[in-house]
Amino acid sequence: MAPNGVIEKTGAGLIVSFGEMLIDFVPTVSGVSLAEAPGFLKAPGGAPANVAIAVSRLGGKAAFVGKLGDDEFGHMLAGILRENGVVDEGINFDKGARTALAFVTLRADGEREFMFYRNPSADMLLTPDELNLDLIRSAKVFHYGSISLIVEPCRTAHLKAMEVAKDAGLLLSYDPNLRLPLWPSPEEARVQIKSIWDKADLIKVSDVELEFLTGSNKIDDESAMSLWHPNLKLLLVTLGDLGCRYYTKNFHGEVEAFRVNTVDTTGAGDSFVGALLCKIVDDQSILEDEPRLRAVLKFANACGAITTTKKGAIPALPTESDALSLIKGGA
């Protein structure tokens, strides 16, 4: 809610989310290894797609740009985006490669471990020529991760999309979404994630990613500010069930989390990002107004918290009324 008690309006501007969408296979029981799992449920996933659906579910306008396999799973995922009100004009299909799969172990504490099937998967094969540049130019926010930087031709497509978005005056939003098993080495991951760092206007990292990128085991202001760059408008560090910290040129602080019964943390960060973006898309002055920013981050924390209360990311993404109920109950 805004300082006067009124929630910031969800913006009408388009938020384009770029990158991968895949199928997560999640064990039917928690706290077991993949080998021990008696069975798996298929769950649509992929951080950029989760963000797009999070925005749409909160009443915002979202589009997804990426590539899926021309297979049953790829068409199923495109259908899920459409069912959730996400603009599909940026989706491509590859006839030669499959939609990516990920087997995700849910440990007893709700945290995850991953095993990926991408050799190569369709998302990795997106080319610059396949980008819907008009769609990107029509947006106000361009959101992306780092998985699309791992291999060519997707890396070049990612860089081209970012360049077009920047030239068109979009706000660039970056959530590295570190998945170490997908990178050739931790060193390569660190170098490539940081290679586009200074292009972003808004960056969100988790506490684990902060440690990885800084090489420090301290989660403090000094460590966070070592990731600051001069063109950045907002740096966010999410702290799981401890909330989040925010840093701008003129102020910084912390917003505490909501207490919920956590079942599965999948998609919580994406829900948080989607909530933030749909509240600032039409009014970026919020980024310079600490009371209003804190209110938006409280809303984003509520959305992230709700997402942890069910298995799977997309089914657990909240509506605005869900988030407002939690805020009201937790106030």
Side-chain angles (χ1 to χ4, degrees), residues 185-195 211-215:
S185 68
E187 294 70 33
E188 176 76 357
R190 206 174 278 112
V191 167
Q192 294 300 344
I193 286 170
K194 286 186 165 177
S195 70
E211 289 179 323
F212 174 77
L213 291 168
T214 60

Side-chain angles (χ1 to χ4, degrees), residues 53-206:
I53 294 174
V55 167
S56 186
R57 197 162 293 173
L58 290 166
K61 189 176 179 191
F64 176 74
V65 173
K67 200 172 198 185
L68 300 165
D70 189 6
D71 53 34
E72 289 262 339
F73 284 153
H75 289 285
M76 180 191 106
L77 292 176
I80 286 166
L81 287 169
R82 282 192 289 271
E83 285 160 24
N84 282 280
V86 175
V87 175
D88 64 356
E89 292 159 22
I91 300 173
N92 294 270
F93 291 94
D94 194 290
K95 292 197 179 300
R98 294 286 189 208
T99 300
L101 309 178
F103 285 82
V104 186
T105 315
L106 282 182
R107 299 201 313 248
D109 61 0
E111 288 298 330
R112 301 153 297 160
E113 292 167 0
F114 294 88
M115 184 166 76
F116 292 93
Y117 284 73
R118 297 169 89 234
N119 53 341
S121 54
D123 59 288
M124 300 157 74
L125 301 177
L126 181 70
T127 66
D129 293 344
E130 292 171 319
L131 292 168
N132 185 336
L133 298 180
D134 289 339
L135 178 67
I136 293 170
R137 290 188 185 106
S138 74
K140 287 192 174 178
V141 173
F142 183 69
H143 176 74
Y144 49 91
S146 69
I147 289 172
S148 40
L149 296 173
I150 298 173
V151 292
E152 294 292 0
C154 188
R155 176 182 163 78
T156 299
H158 181 144
L159 297 176
K160 171 75 173 175
M162 273 176 58
E163 180 189 349
V164 167
K166 196 79 171 170
D167 288 349
L170 278 68
L171 181 88
L172 267 56
S173 164
Y174 185 20
D175 176 357
N177 194 43
L178 178 67
R179 296 285 178 266
L180 269 180
L182 293 178
W183 291 90
S185 68
E187 294 70 33
E188 176 76 357
R190 206 174 278 112
V191 167
Q192 294 300 344
I193 286 170
K194 286 186 165 177
S195 70
I196 58 168
W197 202 257
D198 61 355
K199 301 279 196 295
D201 300 299
L202 187 159
I203 295 175
K204 174 247 160 196
V205 292
S206 69

Side-chain angles (χ1 to χ4, degrees), residues 4-83:
N4 60 2
V6 179
I7 182 106
E8 296 288 351
K9 192 163 68 61
T10 293
L14 180 64
I15 296 165
V16 166
S17 209
F18 173 90
E20 70 285 351
M21 188 176 194
L22 56 136
I23 306 275
D24 286 339
F25 284 91
V26 184
T28 49
V29 295
S30 297
V32 296
S33 69
L34 291 174
E36 293 165 340
F40 295 90
L41 294 169
K42 69 179 193 295
N50 292 343
V51 169
I53 294 174
V55 167
S56 186
R57 197 162 293 173
L58 290 166
K61 189 176 179 191
F64 176 74
V65 173
K67 200 172 198 185
L68 300 165
D70 189 6
D71 53 34
E72 289 262 339
F73 284 153
H75 289 285
M76 180 191 106
L77 292 176
I80 286 166
L81 287 169
R82 282 192 289 271
E83 285 160 24

Side-chain angles (χ1 to χ4, degrees), residues 262-282:
T262 294
V263 174
D264 175 10
T265 58
T266 308
D270 306 324
S271 181
F272 174 92
V273 170
L276 168 68
L277 294 180
C278 74
K279 294 302 180 188
I280 65 168
V281 60
D282 287 349

